[in-house]
Amino acid sequence: MRLLEEKIKKDGRVLNENVLKVDSFLNHQIDPNLMNELGKEFSQLFAGEGITKIVTIESSGIAPAVMAGLYMNVPVIFARKRKSVTLTDDLLTASVHSFTKNETSELAIAKKYLNENDKVLIIDDFLANGQAALALVEMVQQANSSVAGIGIVIEKSFQPGAQILKEQGLRVESLARIASLSNGEVTFITEDMEELI
Ligand code: G4P
């Protein structure tokens, strides 16, 4: 998505070869107009899938997910992160290890918000190793709901997440795909590059 790529080029900061900082519009301060466009794009990409709910993870997935929910006219559920989940009776749970932050969190969604008739779109801000998305898929499956697809704002295509998810037969749509963060520069995957992959 051209608008997002331009925003990343203009306001993103490459911290190192693995990490892109986008605190000024996505991870801390939020650009509502950009979120609106991201939500519209997700709703167009997944139109016709019969989506009934959107599931994301706190905190940075919430803004793009809510805008998508507005365009698709469906509720948005965010998985909560807790240090440990002890009472799990009414909860769907999964644990997720972040390689980027080197920490493990327990995720929880109240069972009452998902059921077997739901077709779920999972949305998240970053796709790196795919662990967060896989944990969300696991919770959706615990509810016997189906996963219609995964919408990602920024995919770091040089990390294995996208491939892992696609190998599981999941539809992944990323609005910006980063081929590399080498030499302090963001290089996106263009359509010509895609033909070579
Ligand atoms: P994975 O879920 O794809 O396996 O990714 P990973 O464990 O490596 O990343 C976990 C956390 O780090 C997520 O945030 C994710 O959004 C964030 N992250 C991963 N790569 C980058 C990056 O290059 N830049 C930035 N800014 N964040 C990155 P989180 O722990 O869920 O935090 P929150 O911001 O959503 O609260």
Side-chain angles (χ1 to χ4, degrees), residues 32-47:
N33 285 315
L34 179 67
M35 295 304 123
N36 182 47
E37 294 301 324
L38 302 184
K40 195 190 295 176
E41 187 76 10
F42 281 131
S43 77
Q44 287 166 355
L45 285 166
F46 289 97

Side-chain angles (χ1 to χ4, degrees), residues 23-131:
D23 274 13
S24 68
F25 62 90
L26 181 60
N27 289 143
H28 192 18
Q29 175 171 262
I30 293 174
D31 179 337
N33 285 315
L34 179 67
M35 295 304 123
N36 182 47
E37 294 301 324
L38 302 184
K40 195 190 295 176
E41 187 76 10
F42 281 131
S43 77
Q44 287 166 355
L45 285 166
F46 289 97
E49 295 276 0
I51 286 158
T52 62
K53 303 259 167 74
I54 293 174
V55 167
T56 187
I57 179 168
E58 65 173 338
S59 50
S60 302
I62 296 175
V66 167
M67 296 316 292
L70 193 58
Y71 279 97
M72 300 174 97
N73 196 24
V74 297
V76 178
I77 302 152
F78 62 93
R80 291 173 176 266
K81 287 182 198 159
R82 318 186 171 195
K83 282 287 169 244
S84 81
V85 178
T86 42
L87 281 174
T88 57
D89 277 5
D90 299 323
L91 298 173
L92 309 163
T93 59
S95 63
V96 58
H97 180 73
S98 162
F99 293 101
T100 306
K101 296 184 173 172
N102 196 21
E103 63 182 22
T104 300
S105 321
E106 302 299 324
L107 303 183
I109 292 175
K111 277 185 183 163
K112 64 182 171 187
Y113 294 127
L114 286 176
N115 65 57
E116 68 276 11
N117 298 318
D118 281 320
K119 287 195 84 179
V120 175
L121 171 62
I122 289 172
I123 288 186
D124 207 359
D125 58 336
F126 270 93
L127 178 57
N129 296 292
Q131 298 306 301

